[in-house]
Amino acid sequence: MVKFGAERQRRTGLVMPKGYFQPNVGGETIPVAQGELSDLAGDEPLFKNLFTWFIQSGGVYKLAFGPKAFIVVSDPVVVRHLLKENYDNYDKGVLAEILEPIMGKGLIPADLETWKPRRRAIVPAFHKAYLAAMISMFADCTQRSIDKMTALTESGQEASIDMEQEFLNIGLDIIGLGVFNYDFGSISTESPVIKAVYGVLKEAEHRSTFYIPYWNLPGAAVLVPRQRRFRADLAVINDCLDGLIAQAKRTRQADDAEALQQRDYSKVTDPSLLRFLVDMRGADPTDKQLRDDLMTMLIAGHETTAAVLTWTLFALVQHPAALEKALAEVDTVVGDARPALEHIQQLPYIAAILAESLRLYPQPPILIRRALGDDVLPAPLNGDQNGYPIGKGADLFISVWNVHRSPHLWRDPDSFRPERFSETNKNEGFEGRWAGYRPSEQRSSLYPNEVSSDFAFLPFGGGARKCVGDQFAFTEATVALAMLLRRFHFSLAGRPEDVGMATGATIHTANGLKMRIRRRHAPADPSLPASEAPKLQQQPVAV
Ligand code: HEM
């Protein structure tokens, strides 16, 4: 059994506040993981240890920390139950407690009562017409990076660059413009707001990996230097968001509201989500609620997409056959044009590459839930034949990492093989209980998801609390990847092991993604409108 509480408290000198982890409620029949505390305190990220215990203990097991426990779920049938079939018996538990000081009652941590009306207000904002209006902005922000990299490789020489940082910068500029029409300009400048955003992100990450919420202890906000810094950073961002909300309210115009209601973005001067949320008829969120929503989307949409691009490039440069196929598809479909909606739909191999990267490096690797009432978890595919009763207050970790790398569900689970998404995987042994994976023919979207895999592939979660930004993120990542691959050759500056892995809310590198770059094609003419994209000469590359 993994013992935690007393030892960790002895080492840190900190006492776990009462009620942080809920008592070990129910789940007496659940297998208990056998491990050592040193496994948790070692260098490996937590989710890697959770994988070892999954292989030993099955799709549902318990991790005990002294008198408290977490139930770790690594099975698609149980995940489907938690996220879809009985979703309203669960809230975000520990995660909400950790994130509340940053995101307030924003959509991710919100309790069900707050969440319902806000979800109803926010989902329509991500309409297809909004995404179409965003694509040229995605291209503009990527172009800023391309211009910088072009200057670095002047007269054809090779240059070094940390691509993880570059993807973070592109992602920050995109989320600022897409969500609240604010240009961080992070690719070329440093500002107090950018510094504050990175400071708060770091703290959000620290809090999601630190087991003891010492920041809630009396005086910690003043006495602990990193907590003082955090409060100052938060104040800078809150001021900025408050200013943007006030401005959006001041500049509300009947014409814009009318055009937004009709989703006619050609007539809208500010297509951001903030404009939509402020102009929505009927909904009248408080300024604080709006700020919580914006802060949530800023954090949820920035690092996640940057991490996907980071690990995609990391994987691609080590898989020359996949890279070659990707380049052929980009050259044929997009060429030197600025990517537009019609291109995105003709890039199935790029879609499969991004999905494969999200399978191997899910962002975040763990989802967190707490039971609001008693429940019975269904029996996992591999393990006990009976379900497991659990009690109100039980804390659960859904390990997306484990599900995505499960040897029971995927062939060669650890290899990077985008082609897997064009193969059917019915896994005969589980018939009737798990529907397996079906490739894309009948689906409207190019991207595989939790529906086509019956919860074996859930990069954006699933059920009622599924990510609202999935299409935004996939489109953004497709545009950025296509444009960068067209322009530059990439290779790792060191060994793959040097990149390392660390985790917080998302999985990122330990040491940056240091790459050598060389020019591949001449920079695009930025004045070339998307409509002048070269017409397709050949069929797109099949996945
Ligand atoms: C929720 C992943 C991009 C906004 C989620 C969840 C996941 C996820 C797994 C479910 C969390 C849970 O069930 O506990 C990702 C990934 C992204 C991404 C991998 C990029 C590749 C975005 C973007 C936005 C966004 C771009 C907004 C612009 C949200 C929000 C929620 C959410 C608001 C909460 C939804 C709710 O509870 O109703 N995301 N996300 N995400 N995501 Fe994303």
Side-chain angles (χ1 to χ4, degrees):
M1 178 184 307
V2 180
K3 300 192 196 71
F4 183 79
E7 165 65 13
R8 173 73 82 156
Q9 290 183 23
R10 188 188 59 71
R11 265 194 309 119
T12 59
L14 289 166
V15 179
M16 225 185 268
K18 209 166 142 226
Y20 179 53
F21 293 125
Q22 293 299 304
N24 183 8
V25 273
E28 282 81 7
T29 55
I30 297 176
V32 179
Q34 300 297 317
E36 297 295 328
L37 175 66
S38 52
D39 297 338
L40 283 179
D43 291 339
E44 287 283 35
L46 173 69
F47 58 81
K48 287 211 171 171
N49 291 310
L50 297 189
F51 186 82
T52 309
W53 291 319
F54 156 49
I55 298 303
Q56 291 164 1
S57 308
V60 177
Y61 66 85
K62 205 156 60 171
L63 258 189
F65 300 104
K68 320 281 184 181
F70 270 102
I71 296 164
V72 179
V73 174
S74 317
D75 179 273
V77 172
V78 187
V79 176
R80 189 178 66 205
H81 174 85
L82 294 170
L83 297 187
K84 187 176 165 203
E85 288 149 0
N86 204 18
Y87 85 90
D88 55 359
N89 188 45
Y90 294 91
D91 69 8
K92 299 291 179 87
V94 175
L95 186 76
E97 286 160 15
I98 290 169
L99 292 179
E100 199 276 335
I102 302 170
M103 298 185 188
K105 286 186 182 261
L107 218 51
I108 287 185
D111 58 274
L112 286 177
E113 203 186 324
T114 310
W115 166 81
K116 266 187 192 139
R118 291 315 294 150
R119 172 102 189 174
R120 262 202 303 275
I122 289 171
V123 166
F126 284 92
H127 193 272
K128 250 180 24 209
Y130 164 73
L131 281 183
M134 289 293 109
I135 287 190
S136 66
M137 182 272 285
F138 296 163
D140 287 345
C141 292
T142 309
Q143 187 63 46
R144 292 172 178 181
S145 247
I146 288 177
D147 290 345
K148 177 175 151 187
M149 289 158 70
T150 303
L152 283 176
T153 50
E154 213 172 357
S155 56
Q157 84 271 28
E158 208 173 63
S160 298
I161 188 164
D162 178 356
M163 283 308 294
E164 183 174 48
Q165 188 54 51
E166 215 46 41
F167 287 135
L168 282 165
N169 291 342
I170 295 175
L172 185 58
D173 284 5
I174 286 179
I175 211 75
L177 286 163
V179 175
F180 33 79
N181 199 22
Y182 178 81
D183 192 352
F184 284 106
S186 63
I187 290 158
S188 49
T189 50
E190 266 199 27
S191 76
V193 182
I194 296 170
K195 264 185 71 196
V197 170
Y198 282 115
V200 165
L201 281 171
K202 235 182 155 42
E203 184 60 19
E205 179 163 295
H206 171 70
R207 290 182 177 204
S208 15
T209 45
F210 206 88
Y211 304 104
I212 302 163
Y214 67 85
W215 49 89
N216 287 339
L217 295 174
V222 185
L223 296 175
V224 181
R226 72 174 295 146
Q227 294 309 316
R228 278 205 307 272
R229 261 196 321 273
F230 164 65
R231 299 214 151 247
D233 286 342
L234 202 55
V236 170
I237 306 175
N238 283 345
D239 276 357
C240 174
L241 293 180
D242 286 344
L244 291 167
I245 291 167
Q247 191 191 12
K249 289 194 162 170
R250 240 186 356 258
T251 55
R252 207 185 237 153
Q253 283 182 22
D255 289 359
D256 264 6
E258 188 66 31
L260 276 174
Q261 295 290 339
Q262 292 168 6
R263 306 292 199 275
D264 184 355
Y265 282 91
S266 66
K267 295 197 181 128
V268 178
T269 40
D270 167 7
S272 72
L273 289 179
L274 172 60
R275 179 83 273 159
F276 184 92
L277 294 176
V278 164
D279 286 359
M280 274 284 288
R281 281 192 216 115
D284 205 6
T286 61
D287 287 2
K288 167 79 170 80
Q289 183 62 56
L290 269 176
R291 193 177 79 194
D292 289 348
D293 289 336
L294 298 185
M295 181 72 97
T296 300
M297 285 192 267
L298 169 64
I299 292 179
H302 165 222
E303 269 205 330
T304 43
T305 318
V308 175
L309 283 164
T310 298
W311 293 111
T312 301
L313 196 56
F314 175 74
L316 267 184
V317 295
Q318 294 174 77
H319 293 85
L323 178 60
E324 208 171 297
K325 242 168 133 175
L327 292 175
E329 189 176 79
V330 167
D331 290 347
T332 309
V333 175
V334 190
D336 279 330
R338 284 159 59 81
L341 203 56
E342 70 256 29
H343 297 120
I344 306 294
Q345 282 148 1
Q346 299 188 64
L347 296 169
Y349 196 66
I350 295 289
I353 283 172
L354 291 169
E356 182 66 341
S357 154
L358 269 163
R359 189 186 65 81
L360 286 170
Y361 305 96
Q363 316 290 348
I366 293 170
L367 306 180
I368 294 177
R369 293 292 188 273
R370 178 174 291 159
L372 297 169
D374 295 351
D375 194 10
V376 180
L377 302 181
L381 293 174
N382 296 90
D384 269 330
Q385 296 303 299
N386 301 314
Y388 300 116
I390 61 168
K392 177 177 174 192
D395 282 309
L396 297 104
F397 275 180
I398 297 171
S399 173
V400 181
W401 174 279
N402 288 358
V403 176
H404 282 189
R405 289 182 182 242
S406 169
H408 311 303
L409 306 173
W410 302 99
R411 186 157 67 80
D412 316 324
D414 290 333
S415 42
F416 178 81
R417 207 168 56 79
E419 286 74 12
R420 75 174 69 248
F421 289 110
S422 56
E423 299 161 2
T424 298
N425 170 15
K426 283 172 89 174
N427 206 331
E428 308 293 333
F430 303 136
E431 230 154 318
R433 303 198 53 218
W434 178 59
Y437 173 75
R438 289 163 288 122
S440 68
E441 286 121 56
Q442 301 97 359
R443 291 204 317 271
S444 55
S445 163
L446 275 184
Y447 307 108
N449 58 27
E450 79 289 0
V451 178
S452 58
S453 67
D454 200 8
F455 285 82
F457 178 64
L458 61 155
F460 295 99
R465 300 201 75 156
K466 181 174 173 171
C467 179
V468 291
D470 58 341
Q471 297 304 314
F472 183 102
F474 253 136
T475 312
E476 169 187 349
T478 305
V479 168
L481 189 64
M483 288 177 74
L484 286 162
L485 288 181
R486 171 74 178 168
R487 300 277 159 257
F488 298 98
H489 286 286
F490 295 90
S491 57
L492 280 177
R495 296 167 310 158
E497 310 81 272
D498 299 335
V499 171
M501 190 186 276
T503 184
T506 58
I507 306 171
H508 49 83
T509 74
N511 306 306
L513 183 63
K514 311 272 171 46
M515 293 220 134
R516 283 198 300 269
I517 53 168
R518 241 175 338 109
R519 287 192 197 174
R520 184 169 170 259
H521 277 268
D525 176 354
S527 62
L528 188 69
S531 56
E532 284 177 23
K535 295 283 169 276
L536 286 184
Q537 304 295 315
Q538 306 161 23
Q539 284 305 303
V541 180
V543 180

